[in-house]
Each structure stands twice: as C-alpha cells, then as structure tokens.
C-alpha cells in the first residue's frame, strides 16, 4: 500500500489587513527564531535546567564592558567603573565585572556584605543610598570604604560614629541638580542650585572629622538625552574647582553615577530602543569633553567614576520560557500564556521586551497579548505584540533582561527558577539554583496553637 | 456553515470580502480550510481531512479548527 507523505502542519491564522494604517515599527516581514544562545540550543538548555530559565552570556558582559570602558578611557586619562550591585547582584555576574576591573557600588548593608564576600577590597566599595545605620557606618569606616552621604542626618550621624571610632572616614556627597531633564531626581543627595550641596561641603571640611575625597551624582535612569550629562559634569566640575579655590583641597574623584539607557524599548515609545539608544561613545563624549575643558590642570584631573548599571548588563540576559496555552479574547485577539510573568520580569512594567520564538515558525503574524501564569490581572508581559502562531509547549526567548530582573523578581505565587551563566567557551554553569518550597518555609514558624486543625 | 458568497480567496492567501470591503491575509492551512468551507465541508469532515493531510495530533487539530472558525465568524466571513 502506498503511504502518502504528510505535510508539515502550521496552525491556521487569518488577520485583517488595515489599508492605510501602517504599523508604528514598519511592516513586520518576518520572525527570526532565536534557537541558540552563545552556541547552546534553547531546547537543550531548558531540557537540562528547566523552564522558565534565566540565561546570562559572560561573553556579552565582557564585550559590553570593554566597549563602555574604551569609550571613556579613549577620551579621559583616568576612568574607573564601579559595578552597581542592585542592577544584578548574582555573585557570578559581579565577579565577571570585578575581573574586568570594576569596583563595587552598593546601596545597602546587604549589598555591601555581598561585595565584601566577593572579595572586593573595602576601599573599592562605594557606599551609596539613604539607608545606612550607625552600624553600617562603623563597618564602612573600619573598611576604609568611601561613604557617599545622602542627607544632613547622615552627615551628623557619621561625624558621631567616626569620633567614637577615632577614625577619619573617606566621604563624598551625593549632589542632585537640574540638568534640564524631567523628572528631576532631587530626593537623593544635596541640591546644587539652592546651595545645599555647597553647605554640606563646607560643613564637612570645617568640621575636619572626615576626608572629602569625592563628589557623586546620579541624575536619573534610562537617560536618552546625552547632553544632560554635560550639564551634570559641568556642575560637578564647578563644585570641585570651587573647593580647590576656597579650601585648597583636591577632589580625588567625580562619580557621575549611572543612568545610560540600554537598548530596550520603553513602553509607549514611538521608536524601538535599538534605533534610538545613544551609544557609550555619545555619553562619553558629553562627560569627558566637559571635564577636560572645565579648567582642571591636566595633572589634577580627578578620577572619573561611572556606576553604569542597566546599559552594561541588559543585553547579556535572556529569559527562556514555554507556552502554557493559547486562548482567544472577547475582541478576537490571541492571548498566549507563558510560564513566566511579571513575577520574574519586573522590567515588563517599563519595557516592551523583544520576544522571539525559539523554534522555526511561520511568517504569518497575529496580534497577541502575552500573559504570564499568575492568577492576577496585572500579569501582562506584552500588551500588544505581533507573534507567529505558537503551540502549547513551544519556547520563547525574551531579550535584554539582564538588569533589575534577577534582583527585583518577586517570590509571588510561584518559585524563582534557575539562572545559568554561559562562559566564554560555551559551557553552561548553574549560578543560582531554583527555589524549593522548603527553602521558603524554613524561614517561617508556626505558633503552637496553630499547629493542628480539624476539617 | 458556509463561507459568504462575497468572499474571494486567492491562492497566495489574500482574502477579500466584497460586501464589506474587508481584506485579510491567511496562511496555507487557512487557505485550505477556507476552500473546504466554500465546498461545504462540515467541521467533522474538515477535521478528518486535516488529520489525513498534515502531521498533526487530533487534539491540536480540533482546538485550532475551532479557534479558526471562531475568527472567521468574528470577521463576518461565514453565513449566519
Ligand atoms: C546611585 C546609583 N548608581 C547607579 C545606578 C545604576 O543606574 P543605571 O542602571 O540607570 O545605570 C543606580 C540605579 O538606580 C543608582 O541609584
């Protein structure tokens, strides 16, 4: 009997064409399946480490770091990056940055302890943030860590702690300022325009209990306007030069903070992030040119510190997941439910994350909503995305998830999954084990009167 | 269940409903199903035809066919 060769199946789809209304990103001509990450097949990674799964490319981290470092180092004589722990404080990730030469930038005792645990010398841990207790100060002073003072209460508290210890802490103040970009981040640090920053500087120098070694600012995050950094750099330089003039003191470093945009697309943005995000060169040009022309003698140019976070790590992170189900909403749109949601992808509140199928797919797109698995209405990964037909069990890759997800993820409804780092030779390493019910319940205790019940 | 008379299907997946001026694009599986509907095949017959012709399991076939016909209804391509 003759057996007929069956045809490869593809789910039937039909889509209305709207004459005259073009998609804001131009016509979608096709989907490129993203089947491999650094040479490893997505399906093998999920078979071995489960789904959902975070994957980090060590090669991409190093390449991105070197690109950023060179952009600054080619324009300015002394440049130092300090890895912003809150962006991604997986130890393996931090250590890649430390191997590349980054110091650590932390904003809590927890992060501080992590940096020490990773082997960062105390004097290379910059301690930022409004939340430092007297004990945090004590430890930072003993370790000789630069303390970035956020408010007057901290300043007075630190004077007390250091007097008791009989030690002179190394300090900087955080400065906030108008850079022409809204919103103005004036809740952290001392304001430049109203003279508060200068008052804090004067207080520190006149009290003579601490060494003012630097000035710090962090003007915002995902700053698409590079010229804001020129404004910030000139105000920082102005403070440093005034300190030299009035007190004869050389400021050792200017820390310009973070805030460079990654290549993600902001929600509601008209253009895709890959098209409009400034390069490291554009940021470096604004900052370095301003500092070099500011009026420092060339041998007195302060060390330039950068605390770049998301722009250094977003591209290196992927989230792999699996389609749980498809359904049709009342208005005819397709809804695809994934095994990851906002619990793992906090940044989906800000970004329209790029998603790709991880296997060959049809070129016929459908308008779809991408939901997570949580039984909560807020669990929307993409509100409106064109996707090829996907079947239950198909896999997807979410791009540029390296920043703020592996730190801001929520243990809400579900447990957090494995994280794998692919090294430069293409070998996968489990760098954080998925959570178990026991991991979480071991932290709980049950009062004896609640131990038993009859149902 | 039948496709509206005003609906024209071209081989490359372009579908036009002359009575409303709506146009659509569909993929080869969709084109196939529209043609079967035109010929007056029933749900059960189309399911059998799909299973015979394509590499596909019965559950997926049934879910997808149901979903596709719902979409055709929503887009006013099927006789009331
Ligand atoms: C003080 C400080 N430095 C650096 C960063 C890193 O910022 P980004 O990820 O925008 O580069 C942050 C983030 O909020 C911060 O608060």
């Amino acid at each position: 009997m003759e057996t007929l060769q069956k045809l490869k199946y593809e789910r039937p789809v039909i889509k209305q064409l709207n004459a005259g209304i073009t998609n804001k990103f131009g016509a979608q001509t096709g989907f490129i399946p993203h089947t491999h990450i650094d040479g490893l097949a997505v399906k093998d990674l999920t078979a071995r480490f489960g789904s959902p799964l975070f994957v980090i490319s060590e090669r991409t981290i190093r390449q991105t770091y070197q690109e950023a470092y060179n952009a600054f180092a080619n324009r300015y004589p002394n440049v130092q990056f300090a890895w912003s722990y809150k962006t991604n404080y997986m130890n393996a990730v931090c250590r890649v940055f430390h191997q590349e030469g980054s110091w650590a930038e932390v904003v809590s005792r927890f992060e501080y302890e992590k940096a020490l645990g990773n082997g960062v010398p105390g004097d290379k841990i910059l301690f930022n943030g409004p939340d430092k207790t007297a004990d945090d100060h004590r430890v930072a002073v003993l370790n000789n860590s630069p303390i970035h003072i956020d408010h007057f209460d901290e300043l007075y508290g630190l004077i007390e702690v250091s007097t008791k210890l009989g030690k002179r802490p190394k300090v900087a103040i955080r400065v906030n300022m108008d850079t022409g970009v809204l919103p103005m981040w004036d809740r952290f640090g001392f304001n430049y325009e109203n003279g508060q920053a200068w008052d804090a500087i004067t207080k520190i120098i006149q009290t003579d209990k601490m060494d003012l070694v630097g000035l710090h600012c962090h003007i915002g995050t995902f700053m698409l306007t590079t010229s804001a950094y020129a404004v910030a750099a000139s105000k920082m330089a102005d403070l440093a030069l005034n300190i030299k003039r009035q007190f004869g003191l050389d400021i050792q470093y200017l820390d310009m903070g973070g805030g460079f945009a990654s290549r993600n697309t902001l929600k509601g943005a008209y253009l895709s992030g890959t098209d409009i995000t400034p390069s490291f060169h554009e940021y470096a040009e604004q900052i370095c040119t301003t500092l070099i022309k500011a009026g420092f003698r060339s041998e007195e140019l302060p060390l330039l510190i950068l605390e770049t976070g998301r722009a250094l790590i977003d591209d290196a992170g992927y989230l792999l997941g699996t389609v749980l189900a498809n359904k049709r909403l009342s208005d005819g749109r397709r809804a695809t439910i994934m095994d990851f949601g906002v619990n793992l992808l906090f940044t989906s509140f800000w970004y329209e994350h790029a998603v790709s199928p991880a296997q060959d797919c049809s070129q016929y797109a459908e308008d779809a909503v991408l939901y997570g698995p949580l039984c909560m209405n807020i669990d929307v990964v993409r509100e409106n995305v064109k996707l090829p037909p996907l079947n239950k069990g198909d896999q997807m890759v979410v791009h540029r998830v390296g920043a703020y997800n592996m730190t801001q993820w929520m243990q809400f409804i579900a447990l957090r999954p494995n994280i794998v780092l692919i090294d430069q030779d293409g070998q996968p390493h489990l760098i954080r084990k998925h959570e178990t019910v026991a991991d979480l319940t071991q932290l709980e205790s049950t009062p004896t009167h609640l131990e038993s019940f009859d149902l | 269940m039948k496709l509206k008379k005003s609906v024209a299907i071209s081989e490359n997946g372009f579908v036009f409903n002359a009575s409303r001026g709506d146009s659509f694009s569909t993929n080869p599986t969709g084109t196939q199903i529209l043609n079967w509907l035109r010929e007056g095949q029933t749900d059960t017959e189309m399911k059998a035809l799909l299973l015979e012709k394509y590499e596909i399991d019965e559950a997926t076939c049934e879910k997808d066919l149901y979903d596709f016909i719902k979409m055709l209804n929503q887009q006013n391509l099927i006789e009331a």
Side-chain angles (χ1 to χ4, degrees), chain A residues 9-11 13 17 328 334, chain B residues 23 25-27 29 64 67:
Chain A
Y9 175 78
E10 176 179 279
R11 186 156 63 76
V13 287
L17 303 170
R328 193 59 75 181
R334 168 157 294 274
Chain B
S23 49
S25 81
T26 183
N27 59 353
T29 329
D64 290 357
D67 179 60

Side-chain angles (χ1 to χ4, degrees), chain A residues 292-416:
Chain A
I292 283 178
K293 289 188 188 153
F296 294 101
R297 297 225 310 275
S298 65
E299 68 280 10
E300 283 175 356
L301 275 171
L303 175 69
L304 168 59
I305 297 183
L306 296 149
E307 302 171 347
T308 311
R310 69 178 82 233
L312 286 179
I313 187 71
D314 248 350
D315 276 9
Y318 301 84
L319 178 58
L320 315 184
T322 306
V323 175
L324 295 177
N326 282 298
K327 55 167 64 173
R328 193 59 75 181
L329 298 179
S330 58
D331 63 1
R333 274 181 311 157
R334 168 157 294 274
T336 294
I337 306 169
M338 302 299 303
D339 62 357
F340 58 82
V342 296
N343 53 330
L344 301 185
L345 209 56
F346 189 83
T347 51
S348 54
F349 291 121
W350 311 330
Y351 296 144
E352 289 176 2
H353 273 293
V355 287
S356 321
Q359 53 281 308
D360 284 339
C361 60
S362 151
Q363 295 304 320
Y364 293 88
E366 249 189 322
D367 287 323
V369 193
L370 207 59
Y371 287 131
L374 307 181
C375 202
M376 291 286 288
N377 211 28
I378 54 158
D379 194 18
V380 185
V381 174
R382 285 292 307 270
E383 270 145 30
N384 195 341
V385 58
K386 289 209 185 318
L387 285 178
L390 293 163
N391 299 312
K392 176 176 160 60
D394 278 354
Q395 295 184 319
M396 298 265 276
V397 179
V398 188
H399 301 267
R400 299 190 191 95
V401 304
Y404 297 108
N405 286 306
M406 286 156 251
T407 52
Q408 289 194 72
W409 53 0
M410 293 179 272
Q411 187 275 299
F412 176 54
I413 299 182
L415 298 168
R416 288 173 284 204

Side-chain angles (χ1 to χ4, degrees), chain A residues 5-17 328 330-332 334 362 364 366 389 391-392, chain B residues 14 22-30 33 51-56 64 67-68 71-72 74-75 77:
Chain A
Q5 185 71 38
K6 291 198 180 186
L7 300 176
K8 192 165 159 36
Y9 175 78
E10 176 179 279
R11 186 156 63 76
V13 287
I14 184 161
K15 181 173 170 296
Q16 182 151 17
L17 303 170
R328 193 59 75 181
S330 58
D331 63 1
R334 168 157 294 274
S362 151
Y364 293 88
E366 249 189 322
N391 299 312
K392 176 176 160 60
Chain B
F14 183 73
D22 294 341
S23 49
F24 305 87
S25 81
T26 183
N27 59 353
T29 329
I33 295 172
L51 287 170
E52 191 182 302
K53 193 165 171 182
Y54 295 97
E55 271 175 41
I56 186 194
D64 290 357
D67 179 60
F68 188 66
M71 285 306 284
L72 298 182
Q74 193 141 21
Q75 287 160 340
L77 297 172

Side-chain angles (χ1 to χ4, degrees), chain A residues 129-392:
Chain A
D131 169 21
K132 307 182 197 87
T133 63
D135 193 58
D136 298 343
H137 278 147
R138 187 184 59 81
V139 171
V141 173
L142 292 175
N143 284 318
N144 207 20
S145 303
I147 300 170
H148 292 185
I149 301 172
D150 189 77
H151 41 70
F152 279 111
D153 283 322
E154 177 172 7
L155 202 165
Y156 283 86
L158 186 53
I159 291 174
E160 222 175 278
V161 170
S162 48
T163 311
K164 255 190 230 156
L165 290 172
K167 285 209 139 211
R168 288 177 73 88
K170 285 197 299 186
V171 302
I173 58 158
R174 174 153 175 181
V175 180
N176 70 60
M177 62 186 80
D178 180 5
T179 59
V181 171
L182 294 172
M184 183 172 150
W185 279 31
D186 60 358
R187 60 175 279 188
F188 303 109
F190 302 90
N191 184 250
Y192 171 85
E193 285 81 17
N194 70 11
Q196 224 181 49
W198 186 252
D199 293 342
I201 289 165
T202 312
K203 174 77 191 168
I204 291 168
I205 295 174
Q206 289 179 344
T207 325
D208 198 23
K209 297 266 189 205
M210 311 187 252
D211 291 324
L212 182 67
V213 292
L215 298 171
H216 171 236
C217 69
H218 173 69
I219 59 176
T221 193
F222 214 94
M223 303 288 289
L224 290 165
T225 314
T226 56
S227 59
Y229 282 97
V231 177
S234 86
K235 292 183 175 176
M236 295 282 276
D238 175 61
L239 287 175
L241 290 163
N242 271 334
I243 292 168
K244 172 79 174 173
R245 222 171 286 134
Q246 301 228 4
F247 303 104
L249 182 74
D250 285 311
I251 287 297
Q252 293 168 25
Y253 67 81
L254 296 180
D255 179 344
M256 296 300 297
F260 304 159
S262 73
R263 296 190 305 137
N264 266 304
T265 301
L266 283 182
K267 269 199 175 170
Y270 194 69
L271 294 164
S272 151
T274 46
D275 294 332
I276 57 163
T277 298
S279 66
F280 288 119
H281 290 280
E282 292 170 79
Y283 291 111
E285 186 64 27
Q286 297 284 343
I287 294 173
C288 301
T289 314
T290 307
L291 293 183
I292 283 178
K293 289 188 188 153
F296 294 101
R297 297 225 310 275
S298 65
E299 68 280 10
E300 283 175 356
L301 275 171
L303 175 69
L304 168 59
I305 297 183
L306 296 149
E307 302 171 347
T308 311
R310 69 178 82 233
L312 286 179
I313 187 71
D314 248 350
D315 276 9
Y318 301 84
L319 178 58
L320 315 184
T322 306
V323 175
L324 295 177
N326 282 298
K327 55 167 64 173
R328 193 59 75 181
L329 298 179
S330 58
D331 63 1
R333 274 181 311 157
R334 168 157 294 274
T336 294
I337 306 169
M338 302 299 303
D339 62 357
F340 58 82
V342 296
N343 53 330
L344 301 185
L345 209 56
F346 189 83
T347 51
S348 54
F349 291 121
W350 311 330
Y351 296 144
E352 289 176 2
H353 273 293
V355 287
S356 321
Q359 53 281 308
D360 284 339
C361 60
S362 151
Q363 295 304 320
Y364 293 88
E366 249 189 322
D367 287 323
V369 193
L370 207 59
Y371 287 131
L374 307 181
C375 202
M376 291 286 288
N377 211 28
I378 54 158
D379 194 18
V380 185
V381 174
R382 285 292 307 270
E383 270 145 30
N384 195 341
V385 58
K386 289 209 185 318
L387 285 178
L390 293 163
N391 299 312
K392 176 176 160 60

